[in-house]
Amino acid sequence: MDASELLRRADVAMYAAKTAGKNRYMRFQPEMMKALVDRNDLEAGLRLAVDSGQIAVHYQPIVCAGSGTVTKVEALARWIRDGALVPPSQFIPAAERSGLIVEIGTEVLLRGCTELKPWLEEDSSRSLAVNVSGVQLQHGDFAELVLAVTESCGVDPRQLVLEVTESVFFEDDCHIIQQLMSLRTAGVRVALDDFGTGFSSLGRLQDLPVDTLKIDRSFVSMINTGTEQLPILNAMIGMAHGLGLTVTAEGVETAAQADYLMNLDCDSLQGFLFSNPQPEAALQPALDRAARAIAALRGDRVPGNL
Ligand code: C2E
Ligand code: MG
Ligand code: MG
């Protein structure tokens, strides 16, 4: 091959080494070229989707075990490409690599506030949760942007929850912590998403500007029959409460899991047992379904549904 092809292949191998976690060497393999083409194709498609407003938002109810009502809704970005849904696990990392997550994140927040405003207005204890990537928090004007969006939509910042993962605190970047602190001063709450999957130091947890822990669904899926002993769940919930945090369990799919978590005093539950994420047009039936499911678990009498 000629020199330029050699350099090109070396470059492709370097990309693969970086993607595989850096600090390593890799030999060029023809499949790497395909992976790079696919990646570029995904990023180009995503740019087009963002520019043409093809990013949609679906909403998933979160139920409160204590009151037996839906008190929160999580907004989740959706990309429908040529009629098929691209999973967020594929396009969110691509959006983070390309920086497009900033536009997507703002769009999800704006749409969420606009579409959920009537629901939020009915009851001040309700809130909207939006996922935030570390890339967004690295922008110095993130806090201002969030507050400008809530203000322009007429949504009370106290009805907004920002979900971040433990990894945003890895860098020990006091700038990120400051942004979250100033948002909390304005009333916005912060939830630590996918808790238990990262490597956070428990010692730091008490210093982080966080209000809620969301227990990752890998822990919830350990509950099978509901008769097992799972001290890890008990400890996580106890620790969170000890630190003054509320706890939401993610990925609750069965009544046995919900019962188990409610017996451990878990504050809120989210998962397919209550409702899948739904577009705004189908939100009301999803909210009703979720409310009926939590009422049934609590043994509440539901008018019209006896
Ligand atoms: P997440 O924030 O932890 O969201 C919960 C995920 O679990 C969602 O996946 C939801 O559809 C799924 N889920 C909910 N209940 C159940 C259940 O009972 N069983 C199972 N197996 N799954 C359940 P989704 O929508 O595919 O999103 C995946 C991840 O992508 C999210 O995880 C979040 O980290 C990220 N993401 C989604 N939308 C956005 C966004 O607008 N911005 C950012 N930065 N990240 C987003
Ligand atoms: Mg989330
Ligand atoms: Mg999660």
Side-chain angles (χ1 to χ4, degrees), residues 58-63 70 74 76 78 85 87-88 214-215 217 220-221 248-258 261 268-278 285-294 297:
H58 285 189
Y59 302 95
Q60 187 176 34
I62 301 176
V63 300
V70 180
E74 178 171 0
L76 294 155
R78 291 288 178 265
L85 209 66
K214 292 193 80 175
I215 297 183
R217 74 164 182 267
V220 173
S221 67
T248 300
E250 298 188 88
V252 180
E253 295 181 353
T254 66
Q257 292 172 342
L261 290 156
S268 303
L269 310 167
Q270 175 180 12
F272 297 162
L273 175 65
F274 304 99
S275 169
N276 294 8
Q278 293 290 341
L287 292 169
D288 295 342
R289 219 172 21 252
R292 279 199 302 275
I294 184 65
L297 285 162

mmCIF file of all heavy atoms in Angstrom, residues 58-63 70 74 76 78 85 87-88 214-215 217 220-221 248-258 261 268-278 285-294 297:
data_model
loop_
_atom_site.group_PDB
_atom_site.id
_atom_site.type_symbol
_atom_site.label_atom_id
_atom_site.label_comp_id
_atom_site.label_asym_id
_atom_site.label_seq_id
_atom_site.Cartn_x
_atom_site.Cartn_y
_atom_site.Cartn_z
ATOM 1 N N HIS A 58 -40.133 11.217 25.150
ATOM 2 C CA HIS A 58 -41.145 10.371 25.770
ATOM 3 C C HIS A 58 -41.048 10.543 27.282
ATOM 4 O O HIS A 58 -40.012 10.966 27.794
ATOM 5 C CB HIS A 58 -40.930 8.907 25.387
ATOM 6 C CG HIS A 58 -41.356 8.607 23.970
ATOM 7 N ND1 HIS A 58 -41.418 7.338 23.466
ATOM 8 C CD2 HIS A 58 -41.745 9.433 22.965
ATOM 9 C CE1 HIS A 58 -41.838 7.389 22.205
ATOM 10 N NE2 HIS A 58 -42.029 8.647 21.872
ATOM 11 N N TYR A 59 -42.166 10.241 27.952
ATOM 12 C CA TYR A 59 -42.226 10.495 29.394
ATOM 13 C C TYR A 59 -42.577 9.221 30.142
ATOM 14 O O TYR A 59 -43.466 8.479 29.724
ATOM 15 C CB TYR A 59 -43.292 11.564 29.685
ATOM 16 C CG TYR A 59 -43.014 12.863 28.954
ATOM 17 C CD1 TYR A 59 -43.617 13.139 27.723
ATOM 18 C CD2 TYR A 59 -42.118 13.793 29.481
ATOM 19 C CE1 TYR A 59 -43.347 14.320 27.044
ATOM 20 C CE2 TYR A 59 -41.845 14.973 28.808
ATOM 21 C CZ TYR A 59 -42.462 15.231 27.592
ATOM 22 O OH TYR A 59 -42.181 16.399 26.914
ATOM 23 N N GLN A 60 -41.877 8.997 31.263
ATOM 24 C CA GLN A 60 -42.197 7.823 32.085
ATOM 25 C C GLN A 60 -42.602 8.264 33.492
ATOM 26 O O GLN A 60 -41.848 8.982 34.160
ATOM 27 C CB GLN A 60 -40.984 6.884 32.157
ATOM 28 C CG GLN A 60 -41.340 5.576 32.851
ATOM 29 C CD GLN A 60 -40.205 4.565 32.876
ATOM 30 O OE1 GLN A 60 -39.051 4.935 32.969
ATOM 31 N NE2 GLN A 60 -40.563 3.289 32.831
ATOM 32 N N PRO A 61 -43.795 7.826 33.942
ATOM 33 C CA PRO A 61 -44.247 8.195 35.292
ATOM 34 C C PRO A 61 -43.363 7.580 36.377
ATOM 35 O O PRO A 61 -42.844 6.475 36.221
ATOM 36 C CB PRO A 61 -45.652 7.596 35.373
ATOM 37 C CG PRO A 61 -46.059 7.296 33.970
ATOM 38 C CD PRO A 61 -44.794 7.024 33.224
ATOM 39 N N ILE A 62 -43.210 8.298 37.475
ATOM 40 C CA ILE A 62 -42.520 7.806 38.675
ATOM 41 C C ILE A 62 -43.534 7.921 39.811
ATOM 42 O O ILE A 62 -44.112 9.003 40.010
ATOM 43 C CB ILE A 62 -41.257 8.649 38.981
ATOM 44 C CG1 ILE A 62 -40.291 8.600 37.787
ATOM 45 C CG2 ILE A 62 -40.569 8.159 40.258
ATOM 46 C CD1 ILE A 62 -39.045 9.480 37.929
ATOM 47 N N VAL A 63 -43.783 6.806 40.508
ATOM 48 C CA VAL A 63 -44.824 6.854 41.538
ATOM 49 C C VAL A 63 -44.212 7.017 42.922
ATOM 50 O O VAL A 63 -43.100 6.562 43.187
ATOM 51 C CB VAL A 63 -45.730 5.588 41.515
ATOM 52 C CG1 VAL A 63 -46.430 5.438 40.180
ATOM 53 C CG2 VAL A 63 -44.928 4.342 41.846
ATOM 54 N N VAL A 70 -48.725 9.530 41.223
ATOM 55 C CA VAL A 70 -47.591 9.831 40.335
ATOM 56 C C VAL A 70 -47.140 11.249 40.668
ATOM 57 O O VAL A 70 -47.897 12.198 40.512
ATOM 58 C CB VAL A 70 -48.004 9.765 38.842
ATOM 59 C CG1 VAL A 70 -46.807 10.087 37.949
ATOM 60 C CG2 VAL A 70 -48.577 8.390 38.498
ATOM 61 N N GLU A 74 -40.233 11.331 34.152
ATOM 62 C CA GLU A 74 -38.885 11.504 33.585
ATOM 63 C C GLU A 74 -38.978 11.659 32.073
ATOM 64 O O GLU A 74 -39.646 10.877 31.392
ATOM 65 C CB GLU A 74 -37.988 10.305 33.928
ATOM 66 C CG GLU A 74 -36.591 10.446 33.288
ATOM 67 C CD GLU A 74 -35.565 9.403 33.741
ATOM 68 O OE1 GLU A 74 -35.891 8.538 34.567
ATOM 69 O OE2 GLU A 74 -34.427 9.475 33.234
ATOM 70 N N LEU A 76 -37.364 11.387 28.460
ATOM 71 C CA LEU A 76 -36.319 10.584 27.818
ATOM 72 C C LEU A 76 -36.281 10.891 26.328
ATOM 73 O O LEU A 76 -37.322 10.869 25.651
ATOM 74 C CB LEU A 76 -36.597 9.096 28.054
ATOM 75 C CG LEU A 76 -36.498 8.662 29.536
ATOM 76 C CD1 LEU A 76 -37.333 7.431 29.806
ATOM 77 C CD2 LEU A 76 -35.042 8.438 29.939
ATOM 78 N N ARG A 78 -35.826 10.568 22.387
ATOM 79 C CA ARG A 78 -36.092 9.501 21.421
ATOM 80 C C ARG A 78 -35.718 9.968 20.023
ATOM 81 O O ARG A 78 -36.037 11.095 19.633
ATOM 82 C CB ARG A 78 -37.593 9.145 21.417
ATOM 83 C CG ARG A 78 -38.053 8.467 22.684
ATOM 84 C CD ARG A 78 -37.512 7.044 22.745
ATOM 85 N NE ARG A 78 -37.867 6.334 23.965
ATOM 86 C CZ ARG A 78 -37.092 6.269 25.046
ATOM 87 N NH1 ARG A 78 -35.926 6.899 25.076
ATOM 88 N NH2 ARG A 78 -37.469 5.568 26.097
ATOM 89 N N LEU A 85 -36.770 3.132 15.941
ATOM 90 C CA LEU A 85 -36.246 3.840 17.100
ATOM 91 C C LEU A 85 -34.767 3.502 17.299
ATOM 92 O O LEU A 85 -34.404 2.328 17.364
ATOM 93 C CB LEU A 85 -37.053 3.385 18.323
ATOM 94 C CG LEU A 85 -37.211 4.347 19.467
ATOM 95 C CD1 LEU A 85 -38.038 5.563 19.060
ATOM 96 C CD2 LEU A 85 -37.871 3.638 20.631
ATOM 97 N N PRO A 87 -31.856 3.259 19.831
ATOM 98 C CA PRO A 87 -31.823 3.292 21.297
ATOM 99 C C PRO A 87 -30.918 4.410 21.825
ATOM 100 O O PRO A 87 -29.848 4.652 21.256
ATOM 101 C CB PRO A 87 -31.256 1.920 21.692
ATOM 102 C CG PRO A 87 -31.022 1.172 20.459
ATOM 103 C CD PRO A 87 -31.295 2.031 19.277
ATOM 104 N N PRO A 88 -31.345 5.092 22.909
ATOM 105 C CA PRO A 88 -30.496 6.137 23.492
ATOM 106 C C PRO A 88 -29.097 5.618 23.839
ATOM 107 O O PRO A 88 -28.131 6.372 23.786
ATOM 108 C CB PRO A 88 -31.247 6.540 24.759
ATOM 109 C CG PRO A 88 -32.661 6.208 24.476
ATOM 110 C CD PRO A 88 -32.641 4.993 23.600
ATOM 111 N N LYS A 214 -31.030 7.422 42.632
ATOM 112 C CA LYS A 214 -31.829 6.507 41.824
ATOM 113 C C LYS A 214 -31.066 5.195 41.755
ATOM 114 O O LYS A 214 -29.986 5.117 41.142
ATOM 115 C CB LYS A 214 -32.053 7.080 40.421
ATOM 116 C CG LYS A 214 -32.947 8.314 40.451
ATOM 117 C CD LYS A 214 -33.410 8.691 39.067
ATOM 118 C CE LYS A 214 -34.563 7.838 38.590
ATOM 119 N NZ LYS A 214 -35.091 8.295 37.279
ATOM 120 N N ILE A 215 -31.609 4.178 42.407
ATOM 121 C CA ILE A 215 -30.927 2.874 42.441
ATOM 122 C C ILE A 215 -31.040 2.226 41.073
ATOM 123 O O ILE A 215 -32.145 2.067 40.531
ATOM 124 C CB ILE A 215 -31.559 1.972 43.522
ATOM 125 C CG1 ILE A 215 -31.361 2.620 44.889
ATOM 126 C CG2 ILE A 215 -30.965 0.576 43.475
ATOM 127 C CD1 ILE A 215 -31.879 1.787 46.037
ATOM 128 N N ARG A 217 -31.251 -0.234 37.905
ATOM 129 C CA ARG A 217 -32.140 -1.395 37.775
ATOM 130 C C ARG A 217 -31.416 -2.727 37.920
ATOM 131 O O ARG A 217 -32.052 -3.747 38.180
ATOM 132 C CB ARG A 217 -32.949 -1.326 36.487
ATOM 133 C CG ARG A 217 -32.232 -1.614 35.228
ATOM 134 C CD ARG A 217 -33.266 -1.889 34.136
ATOM 135 N NE ARG A 217 -32.587 -2.208 32.903
ATOM 136 C CZ ARG A 217 -32.292 -1.306 31.983
ATOM 137 N NH1 ARG A 217 -32.650 -0.070 32.142
ATOM 138 N NH2 ARG A 217 -31.650 -1.678 30.906
ATOM 139 N N VAL A 220 -32.334 -3.748 41.299
ATOM 140 C CA VAL A 220 -33.755 -4.105 41.417
ATOM 141 C C VAL A 220 -33.993 -5.491 40.807
ATOM 142 O O VAL A 220 -34.777 -6.286 41.324
ATOM 143 C CB VAL A 220 -34.625 -3.024 40.723
ATOM 144 C CG1 VAL A 220 -36.083 -3.448 40.678
ATOM 145 C CG2 VAL A 220 -34.468 -1.684 41.452
ATOM 146 N N SER A 221 -33.259 -5.803 39.730
ATOM 147 C CA SER A 221 -33.483 -7.091 39.062
ATOM 148 C C SER A 221 -32.965 -8.267 39.889
ATOM 149 O O SER A 221 -33.218 -9.424 39.551
ATOM 150 C CB SER A 221 -32.856 -7.091 37.663
ATOM 151 O OG SER A 221 -31.461 -7.026 37.785
ATOM 152 N N THR A 248 -35.234 6.595 44.760
ATOM 153 C CA THR A 248 -36.111 6.100 43.702
ATOM 154 C C THR A 248 -35.498 4.813 43.163
ATOM 155 O O THR A 248 -34.292 4.776 42.915
ATOM 156 C CB THR A 248 -36.212 7.127 42.546
ATOM 157 O OG1 THR A 248 -36.730 8.346 43.064
ATOM 158 C CG2 THR A 248 -37.125 6.627 41.425
ATOM 159 N N ALA A 249 -36.317 3.772 42.994
ATOM 160 C CA ALA A 249 -35.811 2.533 42.397
ATOM 161 C C ALA A 249 -36.173 2.531 40.922
ATOM 162 O O ALA A 249 -37.320 2.820 40.566
ATOM 163 C CB ALA A 249 -36.420 1.326 43.095
ATOM 164 N N GLU A 250 -35.199 2.226 40.074
ATOM 165 C CA GLU A 250 -35.414 2.211 38.619
ATOM 166 C C GLU A 250 -35.674 0.779 38.150
ATOM 167 O O GLU A 250 -35.189 -0.178 38.756
ATOM 168 C CB GLU A 250 -34.150 2.669 37.893
ATOM 169 C CG GLU A 250 -33.705 4.057 38.186
ATOM 170 C CD GLU A 250 -32.556 4.457 37.263
ATOM 171 O OE1 GLU A 250 -32.840 4.954 36.166
ATOM 172 O OE2 GLU A 250 -31.392 4.237 37.626
ATOM 173 N N GLY A 251 -36.385 0.659 37.051
ATOM 174 C CA GLY A 251 -36.546 -0.645 36.396
ATOM 175 C C GLY A 251 -37.395 -1.630 37.184
ATOM 176 O O GLY A 251 -37.132 -2.830 37.186
ATOM 177 N N VAL A 252 -38.443 -1.122 37.868
ATOM 178 C CA VAL A 252 -39.336 -2.015 38.616
ATOM 179 C C VAL A 252 -40.297 -2.659 37.615
ATOM 180 O O VAL A 252 -41.076 -1.957 36.958
ATOM 181 C CB VAL A 252 -40.107 -1.244 39.709
ATOM 182 C CG1 VAL A 252 -41.028 -2.181 40.480
ATOM 183 C CG2 VAL A 252 -39.141 -0.525 40.642
ATOM 184 N N GLU A 253 -40.198 -3.975 37.483
ATOM 185 C CA GLU A 253 -40.994 -4.661 36.457
ATOM 186 C C GLU A 253 -42.051 -5.586 37.043
ATOM 187 O O GLU A 253 -42.986 -5.963 36.346
ATOM 188 C CB GLU A 253 -40.068 -5.457 35.526
ATOM 189 C CG GLU A 253 -39.147 -4.557 34.715
ATOM 190 C CD GLU A 253 -38.229 -5.311 33.757
ATOM 191 O OE1 GLU A 253 -38.201 -6.562 33.814
ATOM 192 O OE2 GLU A 253 -37.549 -4.634 32.970
ATOM 193 N N THR A 254 -41.875 -6.008 38.305
ATOM 194 C CA THR A 254 -42.844 -6.951 38.870
ATOM 195 C C THR A 254 -43.388 -6.447 40.207
ATOM 196 O O THR A 254 -42.744 -5.640 40.892
ATOM 197 C CB THR A 254 -42.192 -8.345 39.128
ATOM 198 O OG1 THR A 254 -41.206 -8.186 40.173
ATOM 199 C CG2 THR A 254 -41.514 -8.901 37.888
ATOM 200 N N ALA A 255 -44.564 -6.979 40.562
ATOM 201 C CA ALA A 255 -45.175 -6.592 41.843
ATOM 202 C C ALA A 255 -44.294 -7.049 42.997
ATOM 203 O O ALA A 255 -44.194 -6.361 44.024
ATOM 204 C CB ALA A 255 -46.566 -7.202 41.943
ATOM 205 N N ALA A 256 -43.605 -8.192 42.827
ATOM 206 C CA ALA A 256 -42.730 -8.687 43.903
ATOM 207 C C ALA A 256 -41.603 -7.687 44.168
ATOM 208 O O ALA A 256 -41.252 -7.412 45.320
ATOM 209 C CB ALA A 256 -42.148 -10.051 43.517
ATOM 210 N N GLN A 257 -41.061 -7.119 43.100
ATOM 211 C CA GLN A 257 -39.990 -6.122 43.267
ATOM 212 C C GLN A 257 -40.525 -4.872 43.961
ATOM 213 O O GLN A 257 -39.899 -4.332 44.875
ATOM 214 C CB GLN A 257 -39.403 -5.743 41.895
ATOM 215 C CG GLN A 257 -38.634 -6.898 41.270
ATOM 216 C CD GLN A 257 -38.210 -6.615 39.823
ATOM 217 O OE1 GLN A 257 -38.757 -5.722 39.165
ATOM 218 N NE2 GLN A 257 -37.271 -7.396 39.332
ATOM 219 N N ALA A 258 -41.703 -4.417 43.525
ATOM 220 C CA ALA A 258 -42.281 -3.211 44.123
ATOM 221 C C ALA A 258 -42.568 -3.422 45.605
ATOM 222 O O ALA A 258 -42.234 -2.571 46.437
ATOM 223 C CB ALA A 258 -43.555 -2.830 43.379
ATOM 224 N N LEU A 261 -39.351 -3.448 47.665
ATOM 225 C CA LEU A 261 -38.762 -2.106 47.814
ATOM 226 C C LEU A 261 -39.600 -1.232 48.745
ATOM 227 O O LEU A 261 -39.064 -0.459 49.538
ATOM 228 C CB LEU A 261 -38.631 -1.450 46.436
ATOM 229 C CG LEU A 261 -37.562 -2.111 45.550
ATOM 230 C CD1 LEU A 261 -37.846 -1.867 44.072
ATOM 231 C CD2 LEU A 261 -36.173 -1.602 45.935
ATOM 232 N N SER A 268 -39.755 6.201 46.048
ATOM 233 C CA SER A 268 -40.435 6.253 44.750
ATOM 234 C C SER A 268 -40.016 5.078 43.880
ATOM 235 O O SER A 268 -38.918 4.532 44.031
ATOM 236 C CB SER A 268 -40.085 7.544 44.008
ATOM 237 O OG SER A 268 -40.422 8.650 44.794
ATOM 238 N N LEU A 269 -40.900 4.729 42.951
ATOM 239 C CA LEU A 269 -40.653 3.585 42.075
ATOM 240 C C LEU A 269 -40.932 3.969 40.628
ATOM 241 O O LEU A 269 -41.864 4.725 40.345
ATOM 242 C CB LEU A 269 -41.574 2.412 42.452
ATOM 243 C CG LEU A 269 -41.637 2.000 43.928
ATOM 244 C CD1 LEU A 269 -42.811 1.056 44.145
ATOM 245 C CD2 LEU A 269 -40.353 1.316 44.352
ATOM 246 N N GLN A 270 -40.112 3.402 39.731
ATOM 247 C CA GLN A 270 -40.246 3.706 38.300
ATOM 248 C C GLN A 270 -39.969 2.422 37.541
ATOM 249 O O GLN A 270 -39.025 1.708 37.866
ATOM 250 C CB GLN A 270 -39.191 4.767 37.927
ATOM 251 C CG GLN A 270 -39.108 5.115 36.458
ATOM 252 C CD GLN A 270 -38.030 6.189 36.193
ATOM 253 O OE1 GLN A 270 -37.223 6.490 37.067
ATOM 254 N NE2 GLN A 270 -38.021 6.727 34.997
ATOM 255 N N GLY A 271 -40.777 2.141 36.537
ATOM 256 C CA GLY A 271 -40.497 0.944 35.748
ATOM 257 C C GLY A 271 -41.702 0.511 34.938
ATOM 258 O O GLY A 271 -42.783 1.089 35.049
ATOM 259 N N PHE A 272 -41.479 -0.525 34.122
ATOM 260 C CA PHE A 272 -42.520 -0.997 33.210
ATOM 261 C C PHE A 272 -43.760 -1.485 33.963
ATOM 262 O O PHE A 272 -44.841 -1.519 33.398
ATOM 263 C CB PHE A 272 -41.984 -2.115 32.305
ATOM 264 C CG PHE A 272 -40.853 -1.677 31.389
ATOM 265 C CD1 PHE A 272 -40.016 -2.617 30.779
ATOM 266 C CD2 PHE A 272 -40.632 -0.332 31.121
ATOM 267 C CE1 PHE A 272 -38.991 -2.212 29.932
ATOM 268 C CE2 PHE A 272 -39.605 0.084 30.276
ATOM 269 C CZ PHE A 272 -38.778 -0.866 29.686
ATOM 270 N N LEU A 273 -43.612 -1.892 35.247
ATOM 271 C CA LEU A 273 -44.781 -2.319 36.031
ATOM 272 C C LEU A 273 -45.812 -1.189 36.077
ATOM 273 O O LEU A 273 -47.012 -1.426 36.076
ATOM 274 C CB LEU A 273 -44.351 -2.685 37.458
ATOM 275 C CG LEU A 273 -45.472 -3.034 38.436
ATOM 276 C CD1 LEU A 273 -46.198 -4.313 38.017
ATOM 277 C CD2 LEU A 273 -44.928 -3.202 39.862
ATOM 278 N N PHE A 274 -45.340 0.046 36.105
ATOM 279 C CA PHE A 274 -46.237 1.207 36.199
ATOM 280 C C PHE A 274 -46.570 1.742 34.816
ATOM 281 O O PHE A 274 -47.717 1.940 34.486
ATOM 282 C CB PHE A 274 -45.614 2.270 37.099
ATOM 283 C CG PHE A 274 -45.300 1.728 38.452
ATOM 284 C CD1 PHE A 274 -44.009 1.318 38.777
ATOM 285 C CD2 PHE A 274 -46.314 1.542 39.369
ATOM 286 C CE1 PHE A 274 -43.737 0.749 40.019
ATOM 287 C CE2 PHE A 274 -46.055 0.976 40.613
ATOM 288 C CZ PHE A 274 -44.756 0.575 40.930
ATOM 289 N N SER A 275 -45.543 1.961 34.018
ATOM 290 C CA SER A 275 -45.762 2.389 32.630
ATOM 291 C C SER A 275 -44.443 2.457 31.880
ATOM 292 O O SER A 275 -43.399 2.762 32.465
ATOM 293 C CB SER A 275 -46.415 3.769 32.606
ATOM 294 O OG SER A 275 -46.401 4.275 31.300
ATOM 295 N N ASN A 276 -44.488 2.204 30.594
ATOM 296 C CA ASN A 276 -43.331 2.438 29.719
ATOM 297 C C ASN A 276 -43.261 3.937 29.448
ATOM 298 O O ASN A 276 -44.251 4.631 29.605
ATOM 299 C CB ASN A 276 -43.547 1.779 28.360
ATOM 300 C CG ASN A 276 -43.596 0.287 28.452
ATOM 301 O OD1 ASN A 276 -43.617 -0.269 29.539
ATOM 302 N ND2 ASN A 276 -43.619 -0.351 27.315
ATOM 303 N N PRO A 277 -42.128 4.430 28.966
ATOM 304 C CA PRO A 277 -42.102 5.830 28.522
ATOM 305 C C PRO A 277 -43.067 6.017 27.343
ATOM 306 O O PRO A 277 -43.154 5.149 26.475
ATOM 307 C CB PRO A 277 -40.645 6.028 28.070
ATOM 308 C CG PRO A 277 -39.871 4.932 28.734
ATOM 309 C CD PRO A 277 -40.804 3.778 28.830
ATOM 310 N N GLN A 278 -43.804 7.124 27.356
ATOM 311 C CA GLN A 278 -44.822 7.365 26.323
ATOM 312 C C GLN A 278 -44.713 8.776 25.764
ATOM 313 O O GLN A 278 -44.320 9.690 26.493
ATOM 314 C CB GLN A 278 -46.226 7.239 26.942
ATOM 315 C CG GLN A 278 -46.590 5.845 27.401
ATOM 316 C CD GLN A 278 -46.804 4.880 26.255
ATOM 317 O OE1 GLN A 278 -47.031 5.295 25.113
ATOM 318 N NE2 GLN A 278 -46.700 3.589 26.536
ATOM 319 N N PRO A 285 -53.248 8.391 29.701
ATOM 320 C CA PRO A 285 -53.505 6.984 30.033
ATOM 321 C C PRO A 285 -52.335 6.340 30.781
ATOM 322 O O PRO A 285 -52.541 5.504 31.673
ATOM 323 C CB PRO A 285 -53.689 6.303 28.665
ATOM 324 C CG PRO A 285 -53.879 7.395 27.674
ATOM 325 C CD PRO A 285 -53.395 8.668 28.259
ATOM 326 N N ALA A 286 -51.095 6.755 30.462
ATOM 327 C CA ALA A 286 -49.932 6.188 31.154
ATOM 328 C C ALA A 286 -49.928 6.607 32.624
ATOM 329 O O ALA A 286 -49.640 5.799 33.518
ATOM 330 C CB ALA A 286 -48.641 6.649 30.473
ATOM 331 N N LEU A 287 -50.297 7.869 32.880
ATOM 332 C CA LEU A 287 -50.359 8.351 34.265
ATOM 333 C C LEU A 287 -51.453 7.602 35.031
ATOM 334 O O LEU A 287 -51.259 7.205 36.181
ATOM 335 C CB LEU A 287 -50.656 9.859 34.283
ATOM 336 C CG LEU A 287 -49.549 10.785 33.758
ATOM 337 C CD1 LEU A 287 -50.081 12.208 33.587
ATOM 338 C CD2 LEU A 287 -48.338 10.784 34.688
ATOM 339 N N ASP A 288 -52.591 7.388 34.365
ATOM 340 C CA ASP A 288 -53.700 6.675 35.014
ATOM 341 C C ASP A 288 -53.305 5.235 35.337
ATOM 342 O O ASP A 288 -53.588 4.715 36.418
ATOM 343 C CB ASP A 288 -54.947 6.668 34.098
ATOM 344 C CG ASP A 288 -55.491 8.084 33.897
ATOM 345 O OD1 ASP A 288 -55.146 8.973 34.689
ATOM 346 O OD2 ASP A 288 -56.259 8.291 32.922
ATOM 347 N N ARG A 289 -52.635 4.596 34.361
ATOM 348 C CA ARG A 289 -52.209 3.198 34.559
ATOM 349 C C ARG A 289 -51.250 3.112 35.743
ATOM 350 O O ARG A 289 -51.373 2.239 36.599
ATOM 351 C CB ARG A 289 -51.503 2.729 33.277
ATOM 352 C CG ARG A 289 -51.820 1.330 32.906
ATOM 353 C CD ARG A 289 -51.294 0.893 31.547
ATOM 354 N NE ARG A 289 -50.201 1.618 30.963
ATOM 355 C CZ ARG A 289 -50.312 2.435 29.909
ATOM 356 N NH1 ARG A 289 -51.485 2.637 29.359
ATOM 357 N NH2 ARG A 289 -49.248 3.032 29.408
ATOM 358 N N ALA A 290 -50.306 4.038 35.791
ATOM 359 C CA ALA A 290 -49.307 4.021 36.861
ATOM 360 C C ALA A 290 -49.985 4.248 38.215
ATOM 361 O O ALA A 290 -49.668 3.583 39.201
ATOM 362 C CB ALA A 290 -48.247 5.093 36.609
ATOM 363 N N ALA A 291 -50.969 5.182 38.252
ATOM 364 C CA ALA A 291 -51.665 5.473 39.511
ATOM 365 C C ALA A 291 -52.454 4.250 39.974
ATOM 366 O O ALA A 291 -52.475 3.918 41.163
ATOM 367 C CB ALA A 291 -52.589 6.680 39.327
ATOM 368 N N ARG A 292 -53.088 3.550 39.013
ATOM 369 C CA ARG A 292 -53.851 2.342 39.380
ATOM 370 C C ARG A 292 -52.914 1.260 39.907
ATOM 371 O O ARG A 292 -53.222 0.568 40.875
ATOM 372 C CB ARG A 292 -54.612 1.810 38.160
ATOM 373 C CG ARG A 292 -55.919 2.539 37.895
ATOM 374 C CD ARG A 292 -56.830 1.695 37.009
ATOM 375 N NE ARG A 292 -56.220 1.358 35.731
ATOM 376 C CZ ARG A 292 -56.251 2.147 34.655
ATOM 377 N NH1 ARG A 292 -56.863 3.308 34.711
ATOM 378 N NH2 ARG A 292 -55.677 1.772 33.538
ATOM 379 N N ALA A 293 -51.735 1.119 39.274
ATOM 380 C CA ALA A 293 -50.796 0.065 39.680
ATOM 381 C C ALA A 293 -50.282 0.307 41.103
ATOM 382 O O ALA A 293 -50.231 -0.621 41.912
ATOM 383 C CB ALA A 293 -49.637 -0.022 38.695
ATOM 384 N N ILE A 294 -49.944 1.554 41.433
ATOM 385 C CA ILE A 294 -49.423 1.811 42.791
ATOM 386 C C ILE A 294 -50.554 1.687 43.819
ATOM 387 O O ILE A 294 -50.347 1.179 44.924
ATOM 388 C CB ILE A 294 -48.661 3.163 42.898
ATOM 389 C CG1 ILE A 294 -48.050 3.367 44.297
ATOM 390 C CG2 ILE A 294 -49.498 4.376 42.537
ATOM 391 C CD1 ILE A 294 -46.981 2.410 44.687
ATOM 392 N N LEU A 297 -51.001 -1.940 44.608
ATOM 393 C CA LEU A 297 -49.916 -2.469 45.451
ATOM 394 C C LEU A 297 -50.102 -2.065 46.913
ATOM 395 O O LEU A 297 -49.781 -2.817 47.819
ATOM 396 C CB LEU A 297 -48.565 -1.926 44.971
ATOM 397 C CG LEU A 297 -48.016 -2.543 43.694
ATOM 398 C CD1 LEU A 297 -46.948 -1.661 43.098
ATOM 399 C CD2 LEU A 297 -47.464 -3.930 43.987
#
